[in-house]
Amino acid sequence: MRTHYVWFALLPFAVLAYLVALGYEPAPAAPTGTLLFVSVGGLALAAALAVRAGTWIAVPVSLAVLALVPHLGDLGLGPHFLTFGAVVHALAFACVGGIVLIALEYVVRNRERVTESVSRRALLASLAVGVGHLLAVVLVAEAAGDGVSGIATELFAAQPAEYAMLAFAVIGLVALGVGPTLAFARFRLRLPAAVVAVGFALATLRTWHYVQETVHIGASPSPMITYAVLWFVPFALALVVGGFEYLRLHGRSKRGTTAN
């Protein structure tokens, strides 16, 4: 990595100084401080790698969103964050979303390379897994009484924001199934699929407990709905562990080739 990319390592400190300038009282030694440095540091690493690979549009977009998060309340787009911990948690979600956005731009720019040596059958199978993942989430959510089909049965009753959230969740849940399947077909990576499988299993188990313990089913969003809305969190985790697995496998094959 070239020297000037090291400047991205200063991003967590820049964000911390930005929050101090806005009047937040930081607690760098507390868990919230650790969360800030880990999440912003992860975004900084993804941004540096993206710039190096020529994937740069998502980087300024992610940084702009990061700068706007503390002002969501002033812009009428979200709550006013009263504490350092509250704004850090919001920034962490923004960082995860930024990492996913950077990864998606890389895939779009390098779609031929990503799908290289992947047959049409494997592509169709990946899409089928993505759709199957979406349907499984819908079935579990419906069983919990969340009424996911309400928007479909009352098309003109929903608000525009609900349609936007529905599209966001549908696209994300399909991608959450397609991505790990393609990673296995293209690079023989198993950990991304394992991350998604464990995440779905945990959401299903927690939803089952939710149904058992909730007197009025559907009184609040079930854990499966939370999983559907926050799909980008397991997606980002799958990217991270998949990246480490790829480096391990790639490094091993490279060492073997050099030895020969």
Side-chain angles (χ1 to χ4, degrees):
M1 187 177 292
R2 296 178 182 176
T3 306
H4 60 272
Y5 292 134
V6 177
W7 287 104
F8 282 102
L10 300 178
L11 183 60
F13 299 96
V15 172
L16 179 61
Y18 178 59
L19 294 178
V20 172
L22 292 177
Y24 291 98
E25 297 182 2
T32 51
T34 302
L35 177 62
L36 174 67
F37 277 85
V38 170
S39 58
V40 178
L43 177 61
L45 176 60
L49 294 175
V51 171
R52 185 182 185 185
T55 305
W56 54 269
I57 294 178
V59 173
V61 171
S62 301
L63 295 179
V65 171
L66 206 65
L68 289 175
V69 165
H71 302 285
L72 290 179
D74 299 328
L75 297 173
L77 301 175
H80 290 275
F81 302 109
L82 302 179
T83 64
F84 178 76
V87 72
V88 165
H89 281 85
L91 286 171
F93 280 109
C95 289
V96 173
I99 293 173
V100 172
L101 185 63
I102 289 170
L104 291 178
E105 184 188 352
Y106 177 83
V107 170
V108 171
R109 285 179 177 271
N110 301 273
R111 52 188 177 276
E112 294 182 358
R113 180 181 178 185
V114 171
T115 59
E116 182 184 1
S117 73
V118 177
S119 65
R120 180 175 298 180
R121 180 179 298 179
L123 291 174
L124 292 176
S126 300
L127 181 60
V129 171
V131 174
H133 178 255
L134 169 66
L135 294 177
V137 170
V138 170
L139 289 175
V140 174
E142 284 286 340
D146 278 308
V148 177
S149 60
I151 295 179
T153 56
E154 300 179 12
L155 289 177
F156 299 102
Q159 299 296 321
E162 293 177 319
Y163 288 121
M165 183 58 68
L166 178 64
F168 175 76
V170 167
I171 294 173
L173 291 174
V174 172
L176 201 53
V178 170
T181 308
L182 276 180
F184 176 77
R186 175 67 176 85
F187 302 109
R188 291 294 181 248
L189 302 180
R190 295 177 172 83
L191 290 183
V195 168
V196 175
V198 170
F200 176 78
L202 289 176
T204 302
L205 181 62
R206 293 188 62 187
T207 300
W208 183 81
H209 286 300
Y210 161 85
V211 173
Q212 298 297 316
E213 297 172 0
T214 304
V215 177
H216 300 289
I217 295 179
S220 61
S222 69
M224 186 56 73
I225 290 297
T226 303
Y227 172 83
V229 173
L230 301 181
W231 60 267
F232 52 87
V233 175
F235 192 93
L237 183 59
L239 285 176
V240 172
V241 299
F244 281 115
E245 185 180 13
Y246 175 81
L247 290 176
R248 181 178 63 85
L249 295 177
H250 181 72
R252 178 186 299 174
S253 62
K254 187 175 181 180
R255 287 193 299 270
T257 303
T258 303
N260 292 332

